Amino acid sequence: QSALTQPRSVSGSPGQSVTISCTGTSSDIGGYNYVSWFQQHPGKAPKVMIYDVSKRPSGVPDRFSGSKSGSTASLTISGLQAEDEADYYCCSYAGSYTWVFGGGTKLTVL
Amino acid sequence: QVQLVESGGGVVQPGTSLTLSCAASGFTFSNYGMHWVRQAPGKGLEWVAVIWYDGINRYYVDSVKGRFTISRDNSKNTLYLQMNSLRAEDTAVYYCARGWLRGIAVASNAGDYWGQGTLVTVSS
């Protein structure tokens, strides 16, 4: 049950695209297509932005997209906006009815 | 609308017990699995426990096995987390989150709605 690996921080200018990576193992990301991404603003509860690797819940802008290759998942945010500045966490099913989160990535919109 | 409201947090001494509650509304509680997730101050999210919609199956992260118990009362639309033998490292905001809909893949939903969390501080 080791945490997934995410970069501590990423940044981009308004209108640009950024990609946040999330690296796991064959026991979690690599073994299942159940990766979620959560956005968390300071002092707020997490909000799901992507589930099942690449599906977007209703209400989430299509600027947010997810993908996976092997044991690494990625969240791409295109057309960056000021309100996208937040912490982002990946989460993967890890088998035996357990889940594991990444350490989180702070996105700064310059 | 879906609402999850946690309560029961507070300051407790190491070795003592505390029970958290999560009151659910706006959806058919008995049809959904539920999660507890915690976040230590200034740290990332950590999945803690999950319970099936009918309360029969329950699973935990290794660090809380044998100390924490997740349960639910579907007649009261309430989720619980009983925490025993608390340690300083259990200090965190505890969130409840709605999981999968009965009949849908269990692993698919790590939380589509979350409460605002309740802070547990374990300190002497």
Side-chain angles (χ1 to χ4, degrees):
Chain A
Q1 294 176 330
S2 299
L4 306 174
T5 301
Q6 298 181 234
R8 285 194 174 242
S9 64
V10 297
S11 62
S13 300
Q16 287 186 333
S17 293
V18 294
T19 297
I20 300 172
S21 62
C22 172
T23 301
T25 69
S26 58
S27 297
D28 38 65
I29 293 176
Y32 309 94
N33 289 319
Y34 294 122
V35 177
S36 299
W37 288 91
F38 296 89
Q39 176 191 67
Q40 187 180 36
H41 288 106
K44 300 295 187 181
K47 174 187 175 184
V48 63
M49 307 303 283
I50 296 289
Y51 69 99
D52 291 357
V53 176
S54 60
K55 297 178 182 177
R56 259 189 326 274
S58 60
V60 172
D62 60 6
R63 302 185 295 103
F64 291 84
S65 62
S67 63
K68 189 188 92 164
S69 177
S71 298
T72 298
S74 299
L75 172 71
T76 298
I77 309 170
S78 58
L80 266 181
Q81 300 182 3
E83 59 262 35
D84 298 333
E85 184 162 298
D87 293 326
Y88 290 85
Y89 294 91
C90 59
C91 177
S92 174
Y93 180 67
S96 302
Y97 304 112
T98 65
W99 285 258
V100 61
F101 281 89
T105 298
K106 181 177 179 59
L107 169 62
T108 300
V109 180
L110 303 170
Chain B
Q1 71 281 21
V2 174
Q3 270 200 315
L4 298 168
V5 180
E6 302 93 338
S7 61
V11 180
V12 296
Q13 293 192 331
T16 61
S17 300
L18 196 64
T19 298
L20 307 182
S21 299
C22 168
S25 60
F27 66 102
T28 305
F29 181 68
S30 59
N31 281 348
Y32 285 83
M34 295 292 296
H35 299 272
W36 283 102
V37 177
R38 66 185 178 182
Q39 186 170 34
K43 302 297 184 182
L45 300 171
E46 180 183 33
W47 176 81
V48 173
V50 66
I51 188 169
W52 259 234
Y53 53 87
D54 55 7
I56 291 180
N57 294 315
R58 317 169 192 203
Y59 295 87
Y60 304 89
V61 67
D62 285 346
S63 60
V64 309
K65 280 180 184 176
R67 300 189 300 122
F68 288 12
T69 301
I70 186 173
S71 62
R72 64 192 297 159
D73 185 336
N74 286 343
S75 68
K76 295 182 178 179
N77 290 340
T78 302
L79 175 72
Y80 302 99
L81 185 67
Q82 181 179 349
M83 304 183 294
N84 298 329
S85 302
L86 282 162
R87 305 167 180 168
E89 54 264 38
D90 296 319
T91 294
V93 172
Y94 284 74
Y95 295 99
C96 62
R98 192 177 79 168
W100 69 100
L101 173 64
R102 180 179 179 176
I104 304 298
V106 169
S108 177
N109 188 344
D112 58 358
Y113 287 92
W114 296 57
Q116 285 304 303
T118 187
L119 176 61
V120 174
T121 303
V122 184
S123 173
S124 55

